[in-house]
Amino acid sequence: MKKCNYLLLTCLFTLFLFQSCTEVEVKHEEPTQLISNDVAKELNRNYNNTRHRLVSQSINKEDANSAWYSIKELENYIYYIKKQGKEKGYNVNGIRFYLGAYPNTREYNEKANMTTIFLTPTGKRTDVQKGSFLSLPAMTIQTLEENPDIEEIEPMNFGTMGHPPKATYPLN
């Protein structure tokens, strides 16, 4: 009888460990920032009619007005910044998208002088001073902004512009 109880307890414990080690499905909510296709068309049209034309004229070639990243690239970057944030003592809470322009050098070939979009993680330092008797939070200089950029983690760039670089929403 003791062997049966021991075996039953062992099985239950093993089942508990297996169940607690399995990945829990994360529930995602529908985004609240969705816009209609008509609004997206208007935004793209406004950009192309006001800014894109001026930029293209100033660099003497058709400038990029969109960038594309695969889902896999974005998921990999999100995993990377979360991992790096944890290792470097940050709570990564978002990604900021910046507009930039490639240098006008041969190194960038057809992208030289063109607009790009790069991503950088945002968040706040969370680490605690080590060796302190009271373990007070580390003293860091923060901007007044709620979601400062984390410069200790590398930004991501080099999305695909497409050929030609100018895209009109929706791209078919």
Side-chain angles (χ1 to χ4, degrees):
M1 185 70 168
K2 282 187 176 183
K3 285 185 180 181
C4 263
N5 286 342
Y6 179 73
L7 183 60
L8 181 61
L9 285 174
T10 303
C11 287
L12 288 173
F13 182 72
T14 304
L15 181 62
F16 171 76
L17 280 179
F18 177 74
Q19 187 176 10
S20 64
C21 291
T22 58
E23 201 170 305
V24 177
E25 183 178 330
V26 177
K27 293 188 180 192
H28 295 280
E29 297 175 15
E30 188 171 305
T32 59
Q33 307 94 329
L34 298 176
I35 60 173
S36 71
N37 285 314
D38 288 337
V39 170
K41 288 175 188 175
E42 180 181 14
L43 294 174
N44 183 247
R45 188 173 44 251
N46 288 342
Y47 177 83
N48 288 335
N49 290 337
T50 59
R51 290 152 181 82
H52 182 263
R53 187 175 342 128
L54 295 172
V55 173
S56 295
Q57 288 171 353
S58 73
I59 64 172
N60 294 318
K61 66 179 176 180
E62 189 77 16
D63 192 25
N65 69 349
S66 68
W68 180 87
Y69 294 93
S70 71
I71 295 292
K72 185 72 172 166
E73 289 169 323
L74 293 171
E75 288 174 340
N76 286 344
Y77 187 62
I78 290 169
Y79 172 80
Y80 169 78
I81 63 176
K82 284 181 173 181
K83 182 178 176 228
Q84 287 292 306
K86 187 177 241 182
E87 290 175 8
K88 295 175 189 251
Y90 284 92
N91 175 27
V92 175
N93 63 9
I95 297 174
R96 182 166 285 114
F97 292 75
Y98 279 99
L99 293 174
Y102 291 106
N104 193 17
T105 62
R106 287 186 207 160
E107 175 186 354
Y108 290 98
N109 296 323
E110 74 277 352
K111 291 183 177 186
N113 220 15
M114 296 182 80
T115 300
T116 186
I117 296 172
F118 63 94
L119 294 65
T120 191
T122 63
K124 293 185 179 179
R125 188 166 280 289
T126 60
D127 60 349
V128 175
Q129 288 178 340
K130 305 287 189 237
S132 170
F133 179 74
L134 297 175
S135 292
L136 297 173
M139 297 297 288
T140 59
I141 297 173
Q142 293 285 333
T143 64
L144 295 176
E145 186 179 4
E146 286 294 311
N147 305 300
D149 295 344
I150 302 173
E151 293 185 62
E152 292 180 45
I153 303 174
E154 292 84 1
M156 182 169 106
N157 189 18
F158 301 110
T160 302
M161 288 189 303
H163 299 283
K166 181 181 176 189
T168 302
Y169 179 82
L171 186 63
N172 293 325

